[in-house]
Amino acid sequence: MRRLISSGSRFEREIGYSRAVVDGDTVFVSGTTGYDYATMTIESDVVAQCEQALRNIAGALAEAGATLDDVVRLLFIVPDRADWEPCWPVLRRYFGESRPASTLIHAGLQTDAMRIEIEATARLRPATP
């Protein structure tokens, strides 16, 4: 069973993608930046963007029936290497116990305002009777 999850961002419609796709017991969350979709604004601080990106991911996962604890794989993209280390405490707070596999890539993002993008893959836990 395949289910599409939307954040309501206009980019999903204009570009042709979903915030997340549930396929079987796997949830694939698209690369997610620090945009606050309720206000369509983005903070300038990379740590604030990292926090918002994780809230956006958590929201998509919740709609799929999962949590950040169910994440098994992360991909981080940061344009500026200096922005990576300030995010570590945030990531440790959210993933320090579950410790998913992860990769970091240094690359440009859609706009200069975006300082981090996070992609996640999670597994749905079997329902308990």
Side-chain angles (χ1 to χ4, degrees):
M1 184 170 125
R2 184 171 183 213
R3 183 166 48 110
L4 307 179
I5 295 173
S6 174
S7 68
S9 166
R10 67 180 178 89
F11 299 119
E12 294 168 30
R13 189 176 56 259
E14 290 176 12
I15 298 170
Y17 72 97
S18 296
R19 170 61 39 218
V21 175
V22 180
D23 192 347
D25 68 349
T26 306
V27 184
F28 302 93
V29 183
S30 293
T32 304
T33 63
Y35 267 96
D36 179 337
Y37 295 115
T39 62
M40 284 309 290
T41 59
I42 191 166
E43 296 286 332
S44 61
D45 178 68
V46 70
V47 173
Q49 287 190 28
C50 183
E51 290 270 7
Q52 183 63 53
L54 292 172
R55 284 192 295 272
N56 293 343
I57 291 168
L61 290 173
E63 192 170 333
T67 70
L68 290 172
D69 289 336
D70 298 312
V71 171
V72 295
R73 182 89 173 101
L74 292 164
L75 172 65
F76 303 100
I77 305 167
V78 294
D80 183 348
R81 290 174 194 259
D83 282 344
W84 179 228
E85 193 169 344
C87 294
W88 292 0
V90 174
L91 300 170
R92 187 170 40 252
R93 190 171 69 243
Y94 285 98
F95 301 108
E97 294 298 315
S98 61
R99 296 176 56 193
S102 68
T103 300
L104 168 69
I105 296 174
H106 297 283
L109 297 176
Q110 181 74 22
T111 70
D112 290 339
M114 296 175 180
R115 296 178 63 189
I116 188 167
E117 184 169 332
I118 305 170
E119 180 182 301
T121 304
R123 298 295 299 261
L124 295 172
R125 296 172 193 245
T128 54

